[in-house]
């Protein structure tokens, strides 16, 4: 193998190792596998015992027994509107979208299901 080919092969292998290391880190983040529905978690990155939101219950405000710090939603038509106060109160609300897996910008104490 010439010096040029060996250099290209080495660079390709190094690039594959870096990509592989990055992919391994993403998997190690700890998120539960995506599944249909909406789930609120008391810990970051989908940790703790999930509270499942009924995506057919549009508009009803639900107060959580524990604040949610992360959310996962897989739905074609519904999303969650999360509030920092009980009873869907607070200065701001945050909407998840119909496909989401994220830590929340603040602890959510209540939510309602809305159309996406």
């Amino acid at each position: 193998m010439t010096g040029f080919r060996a250099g290209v092969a080495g660079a390709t292998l190094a690039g594959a190792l870096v990509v592989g290391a990055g992919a391994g880190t993403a998997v190690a983040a700890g998120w539960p596998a995506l599944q249909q529905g909406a789930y609120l978690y008391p810990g970051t990155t989908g940790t703790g015992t999930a509270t499942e939101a009924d995506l057919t219950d549009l508009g009803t405000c639900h107060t959580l027994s524990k604040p949610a710090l992360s959310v996962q939603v897989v739905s074609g038509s519904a999303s969650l509107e999360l509030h920092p106060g009980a009873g869907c109160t607070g200065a701001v609300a945050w909407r998840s979208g119909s496909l989401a897996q994220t830590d929340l910008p603040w602890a959510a104490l209540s939510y309602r299901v809305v159309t996406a």
Side-chain angles (χ1 to χ4, degrees):
M1 184 179 287
T2 67
F4 176 74
R5 286 186 188 162
V8 169
T12 302
L13 177 60
L17 290 174
V18 168
V19 169
T25 302
V27 172
W31 279 99
L34 286 174
Q35 58 182 331
Q36 186 70 29
Y39 304 90
L40 297 145
Y41 298 92
T44 58
T45 62
T47 58
T49 302
T51 297
E52 185 174 4
D54 179 359
L55 293 178
T56 64
D57 188 13
L58 291 171
T60 304
C61 181
H62 300 273
T63 298
L64 298 164
S65 60
K66 291 182 181 178
L69 297 178
S70 58
V71 63
Q72 176 177 286
V73 179
V74 177
S75 168
S77 60
S79 60
L80 297 181
E81 182 179 86
L82 298 137
H83 299 267
C88 295
T89 61
V92 294
W94 185 89
R95 284 200 178 189
S96 69
S98 62
L99 179 60
Q101 186 180 54
T102 188
D103 289 338
L104 298 173
W106 30 255
L109 294 175
S110 58
Y111 71 93
R112 68 177 46 141
V113 178
V114 295
T115 57

